[in-house]
Amino acid sequence: MPDNIKCKCGNVKLKGKDYCLECLIKQFNAGQRKPPTHVEDDIQQAFFTLVGLELHKLDKLIFAVPNGGKRNAREAARFKRQGVKKGIADIICLVSNGIYTCLCLECKTDEGEQSPEQKDFEKQVIQAGGKYEVFRSCDEGIK
């Protein structure tokens, strides 16, 4: 992995920053920074930075699902009509390894818990022969 994407602690830096998510949280806990507001986004961003370097051959086969975010009622209804569904995993990898048909990853903070819709999606993925994992750090997601 190139040194220019590593934080001083060895983890992957957040895009456009000189520090990783873990260092940001440590600085917050020490009272040196404002609380991070988009921790799951930052974990996912670090994950895709590493995936781009390590798994570039999977370019179009591993992708994020933009299901989250705040929307007004009209926009939410439009997305629902287009097939956007609650509970779908954050990251989908459409590569079979001979054991699983696909891999679905859900990014959570240390305190984050799956919603009932996410648990239902997990069951459906497993029933369809896929693998579903929750990860709480970039390194966990890569493993």
Side-chain angles (χ1 to χ4, degrees), residues 69-125:
K70 303 278 186 227
R71 297 187 174 99
N72 63 42
R74 187 178 202 172
E75 188 175 12
R78 193 178 99 239
F79 279 118
K80 189 173 182 177
R81 289 190 302 271
Q82 292 174 357
V84 173
K85 299 180 186 297
K86 283 184 175 182
I88 304 302
D90 294 320
I91 299 169
I92 309 286
C93 181
L94 298 176
V95 177
S96 172
N97 67 356
I99 299 171
Y100 300 108
T101 56
C102 65
L103 172 64
C104 298
L105 298 170
E106 181 63 36
C107 180
K108 292 289 179 198
T109 63
D110 287 337
E111 300 82 28
E113 295 183 16
Q114 288 177 280
S115 68
E117 293 88 359
Q118 289 168 334
K119 289 178 182 177
D120 185 51
F121 180 73
E122 176 180 8
K123 288 177 190 168
Q124 290 184 36
V125 167

Side-chain angles (χ1 to χ4, degrees), residues 18-84:
D18 290 327
Y19 48 82
C20 68
L21 181 62
E22 289 180 35
C23 288
L24 173 66
I25 292 170
K26 284 178 188 173
Q27 290 170 356
F28 163 68
N29 289 337
Q32 298 168 344
R33 287 192 180 270
K34 291 187 216 172
T37 55
H38 299 284
V39 175
E40 286 183 14
D41 296 354
D42 293 339
I43 294 169
Q44 194 169 325
Q45 184 182 89
F47 172 84
F48 274 103
T49 299
L50 256 186
V51 164
L53 293 168
E54 303 289 330
L55 304 173
H56 59 276
K57 293 179 183 176
L58 300 180
D59 182 39
K60 301 282 192 258
L61 298 177
I62 186 165
F63 53 89
V65 177
N67 268 354
K70 303 278 186 227
R71 297 187 174 99
N72 63 42
R74 187 178 202 172
E75 188 175 12
R78 193 178 99 239
F79 279 118
K80 189 173 182 177
R81 289 190 302 271
Q82 292 174 357
V84 173

